């Protein structure tokens, strides 16, 4: 076997136990949970251990259970699928591929999108009842729900939302695609930076929602106490799924899978399972933007947040608004900690990817305005997401890791 420098594979170093190395050495297999993350483990964090044990790292990409995340939470779509292809898809999710040809059937697309519209109307009523905010179910429901963390870049979404509001104010009579921006998620108790981002999102939302010039062209929703029960209402109603983490930082979230399964179109970076979603649904049915994991690492040397801001008049305007207290006139310095952290240490490269994100969102505007084309994308996202079933993941564990009798009865 190849040899790695001993200093790189010590379990104990400087009097501390290196838990990652200990876990790797004691493990039978180490799962990377997505294709991209598996490759990164081999080439970065466990590079030397991988050289010593080249067969230990494997990949079984995460999955989601269709029993909860389609059959249970989206009754309208469940019934349409049962009527169209039977009920076996519930335990064999790749049977959803049978509806792929129906993406070109106008009648099926209409029925599919009528279900989406009913889910949106239900969510609009829920928002009204729980938040007192009126939103139009005819607008695009643009959803980012996940724990609040800097690498997931809710901040970039918030800044783009503020920038869109600025554009609408300047030209309110333009042909805007109406949006409802929905955020959901909690921060860890001691994660002050994440809590500051939550405050900024809510203040940006309050400013936009109270602006009569913007009106129904843009609304911002951040319901309290995000949880699974709320997700079961939000996900079936989503038109656009925000999966915008810094490339290389999301091992394999599963929210993107739940959204795609329910007919939402993804906007995202080539990170985590987004890569595999793109591979399954096709480049034409997903909106990819921003740097790759390799480009992120290459950009770290000599990275300057301010240089990227200076190159972007759109971002500059929003940064100036945060600095001047536009979103918190009662306390103009309230959001300075967010700004200071961004300018001092933009480790997750919000500024570097901002313009690419902005332009991708404008492509989304155009795409959503073409109702037939968007409906086709929505149907294909559902039809081609069957591979992301947790049944497939568990079968992979049984076959390739545990060596137990498979669900088909074959002994591996």
């Amino acid at each position: 076997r190849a040899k790695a420098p001993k200093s790189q594979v010590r379990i104990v170093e400087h009097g501390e136990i290196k838990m990652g190395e200990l876990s790797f050495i004691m493990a039978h297999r180490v799962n990377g949970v997505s294709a991209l993350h598996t490759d990164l483990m081999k080439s970065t964090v466990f590079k030397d251990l991988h050289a010593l044990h080249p067969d230990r790292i494997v990949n079984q990409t995460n999955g989601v259970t269709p029993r909860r995340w389609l059959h249970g939470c989206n009754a309208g779509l469940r019934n349409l699928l049962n009527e169209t292809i039977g009920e076996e898809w519930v335990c064999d999710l790749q049977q959803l591929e049978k509806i792929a040809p129906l993406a070109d059937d106008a009648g099926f697309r209409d029925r599919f999108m009528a279900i989406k519209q009913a889910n949106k109307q239900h969510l609009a009523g829920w928002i009204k009842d729980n938040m007192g905010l009126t939103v139009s179910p005819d607008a695009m429901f643009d959803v980012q729900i996940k724990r609040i963390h800097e690498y997931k870049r809710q901040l970039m979404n918030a800044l783009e939302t503020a920038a869109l509001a600025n554009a609408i104010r300047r030209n309110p009579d333009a042909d805007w695609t109406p949006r409802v921006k929905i955020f959901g998620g909690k921060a860890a108790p001691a994660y002050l930076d994440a809590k500051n981002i939550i405050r900024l999102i809510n203040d940006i939302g309050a400013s936009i929602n109270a602006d009569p010039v913007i009106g129904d062209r843009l609304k911002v929703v951040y319901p309290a106490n995000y949880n699974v029960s709320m997700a079961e209402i939000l996900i079936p109603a989503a038109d656009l799924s925000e999966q915008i983490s810094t490339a290389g930082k999301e091992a394999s979230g599963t929210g993107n899978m739940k959204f795609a399964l329910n007919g939402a179109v993804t906007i995202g970076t080539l990170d985590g399972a987004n890569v595999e979603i793109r591979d399954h649904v096709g480049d034409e049915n997903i909106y990819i933007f921003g740097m790759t994991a390799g480009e992120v690492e290459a950009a770290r040397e000599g990275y300057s947040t301010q240089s990227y801001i200076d190159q972007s008049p759109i971002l500059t305007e929003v940064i100036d608004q945060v600095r001047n207290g536009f979103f918190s006139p009662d306390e103009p310095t309230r959001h300075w900690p967010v700004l200071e952290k961004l300018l001092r240490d933009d480790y997750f490269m919000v500024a570097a990817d901002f313009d690419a994100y902005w332009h991708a969102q404008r492509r989304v505007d155009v795409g959503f305005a073409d109702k037939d084309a968007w409906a086709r994308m929505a149907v294909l996202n559902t039809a081609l997401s069957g591979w992301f079933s947790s049944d497939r993941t568990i079968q992979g564990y049984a076959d390739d890791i545990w060596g137990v009798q498979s669900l088909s009865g074959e002994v591996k």
Side-chain angles (χ1 to χ4, degrees), residues 370-392:
D370 186 339
K371 297 304 182 184
D372 282 342
W374 188 273
R376 187 177 187 279
M377 284 198 293
V379 171
L380 287 173
N381 268 268
T382 293
L384 301 175
S385 291
W387 188 80
F388 295 100
S389 171
S390 57
D391 298 339
R392 185 266 314 153

Side-chain angles (χ1 to χ4, degrees), residues 110-258:
D110 288 346
R111 295 180 68 189
F112 188 96
M113 295 309 290
I115 292 163
K116 176 68 72 175
Q117 189 68 14
N119 292 334
K120 292 172 69 175
Q121 289 169 343
H122 175 63
L123 175 56
W126 184 93
I127 292 170
K128 178 66 174 179
D129 292 343
N130 287 274
M131 301 182 66
L133 180 65
T134 299
V135 300
S136 171
D138 295 325
M140 181 199 309
F141 279 17
D142 173 348
V143 185
Q144 186 178 24
I145 47 174
K146 51 187 76 237
R147 65 187 172 92
I148 309 301
H149 196 289
E150 289 167 284
Y151 88 79
K152 294 178 183 291
R153 300 201 292 193
Q154 286 94 348
L155 177 58
M156 187 167 69
N157 189 353
L159 296 176
E160 191 275 336
T161 303
L164 178 58
N166 290 335
I168 294 172
R169 289 188 192 99
R170 271 191 295 273
N171 190 9
D173 294 327
D175 189 18
W176 298 104
T177 296
R179 287 195 189 222
V180 178
K181 284 269 197 173
I182 302 173
F183 295 83
K186 299 174 182 176
Y191 195 174
L192 182 59
D193 290 327
K195 291 177 182 291
N196 287 335
I197 290 170
I198 292 173
R199 296 176 78 192
L200 177 59
I201 294 169
N202 278 279
D203 278 353
I204 289 173
S207 171
I208 290 170
N209 294 344
D211 193 324
V213 175
I214 294 173
D216 288 337
R217 299 171 184 85
L218 180 63
K219 295 291 184 184
V220 180
V221 179
Y222 197 139
N225 195 31
Y226 172 71
N227 54 30
V228 169
S229 296
M230 189 185 298
E232 290 177 314
I233 300 172
L234 294 171
I235 289 172
D239 293 303
L240 186 69
S241 163
E242 296 268 357
Q243 309 298 329
I244 60 176
S245 57
T246 311
K249 296 302 178 182
E250 181 76 79
S252 179
T254 57
N256 50 2
M257 305 171 192
K258 297 167 188 172

Side-chain angles (χ1 to χ4, degrees), residues 175-340:
D175 189 18
W176 298 104
T177 296
R179 287 195 189 222
V180 178
K181 284 269 197 173
I182 302 173
F183 295 83
K186 299 174 182 176
Y191 195 174
L192 182 59
D193 290 327
K195 291 177 182 291
N196 287 335
I197 290 170
I198 292 173
R199 296 176 78 192
L200 177 59
I201 294 169
N202 278 279
D203 278 353
I204 289 173
S207 171
I208 290 170
N209 294 344
D211 193 324
V213 175
I214 294 173
D216 288 337
R217 299 171 184 85
L218 180 63
K219 295 291 184 184
V220 180
V221 179
Y222 197 139
N225 195 31
Y226 172 71
N227 54 30
V228 169
S229 296
M230 189 185 298
E232 290 177 314
I233 300 172
L234 294 171
I235 289 172
D239 293 303
L240 186 69
S241 163
E242 296 268 357
Q243 309 298 329
I244 60 176
S245 57
T246 311
K249 296 302 178 182
E250 181 76 79
S252 179
T254 57
N256 50 2
M257 305 171 192
K258 297 167 188 172
F259 280 111
L261 188 59
N262 283 273
V265 178
T266 302
I267 182 170
T269 51
L270 283 175
D271 193 34
N274 288 352
V275 177
E276 289 153 288
I277 290 178
R278 178 202 61 178
D279 292 344
H280 283 270
V281 307
D283 287 318
E284 68 278 14
N285 297 311
I286 190 171
Y287 291 89
I288 296 295
F289 73 94
M291 292 184 289
T292 64
E295 289 168 342
V296 165
E297 291 308 309
R300 292 208 182 281
E301 186 173 352
Y303 181 82
S304 167
T305 309
Q306 190 62 54
S307 67
Y308 283 101
I309 295 173
D310 291 343
Q311 295 168 31
S312 173
I314 298 170
L315 180 57
T316 296
E317 181 180 21
V318 177
I319 294 297
D320 287 344
Q321 288 175 316
V322 176
R323 180 182 291 112
N324 297 330
F326 179 84
F327 304 111
S328 54
D330 58 323
E331 186 185 346
T333 63
R334 179 183 300 157
H335 302 299
W336 282 13
V338 174
L339 187 59
E340 189 275 335

Side-chain angles (χ1 to χ4, degrees), residues 15-189:
E16 295 183 346
I17 297 175
K18 301 172 73 174
M19 295 303 295
E21 282 78 356
L22 177 60
S23 299
F24 187 105
I25 290 167
M26 297 302 295
H28 168 61
R29 291 285 186 269
V30 176
N31 185 25
V33 302
S34 74
L36 175 66
H37 193 243
T38 299
D39 291 340
L40 288 173
M41 286 205 305
K42 291 177 180 179
S43 62
T44 58
V45 64
F46 289 135
K47 178 179 180 181
D48 298 315
L49 283 165
H50 176 60
L52 290 171
H53 305 283
D55 299 326
R56 190 160 297 182
I57 298 176
V58 298
N59 180 63
Q60 297 295 337
T61 296
N62 284 339
V64 299
T65 170
R67 268 76 67 188
R68 177 184 290 274
W69 294 113
L70 201 169
H71 187 276
C73 72
N74 196 341
L77 184 53
R78 174 192 69 212
N79 294 338
L80 177 61
L81 291 170
N82 288 348
E83 177 187 333
T84 306
I85 61 173
E87 300 182 18
E88 293 184 2
W89 63 269
V90 180
C91 293
D92 181 10
L93 199 58
Q94 290 194 259
Q95 290 202 25
L96 293 182
E97 292 180 2
K98 293 178 180 179
I99 69 167
L102 297 176
D104 295 318
D105 182 303
F108 184 84
R109 289 198 308 267
D110 288 346
R111 295 180 68 189
F112 188 96
M113 295 309 290
I115 292 163
K116 176 68 72 175
Q117 189 68 14
N119 292 334
K120 292 172 69 175
Q121 289 169 343
H122 175 63
L123 175 56
W126 184 93
I127 292 170
K128 178 66 174 179
D129 292 343
N130 287 274
M131 301 182 66
L133 180 65
T134 299
V135 300
S136 171
D138 295 325
M140 181 199 309
F141 279 17
D142 173 348
V143 185
Q144 186 178 24
I145 47 174
K146 51 187 76 237
R147 65 187 172 92
I148 309 301
H149 196 289
E150 289 167 284
Y151 88 79
K152 294 178 183 291
R153 300 201 292 193
Q154 286 94 348
L155 177 58
M156 187 167 69
N157 189 353
L159 296 176
E160 191 275 336
T161 303
L164 178 58
N166 290 335
I168 294 172
R169 289 188 192 99
R170 271 191 295 273
N171 190 9
D173 294 327
D175 189 18
W176 298 104
T177 296
R179 287 195 189 222
V180 178
K181 284 269 197 173
I182 302 173
F183 295 83
K186 299 174 182 176

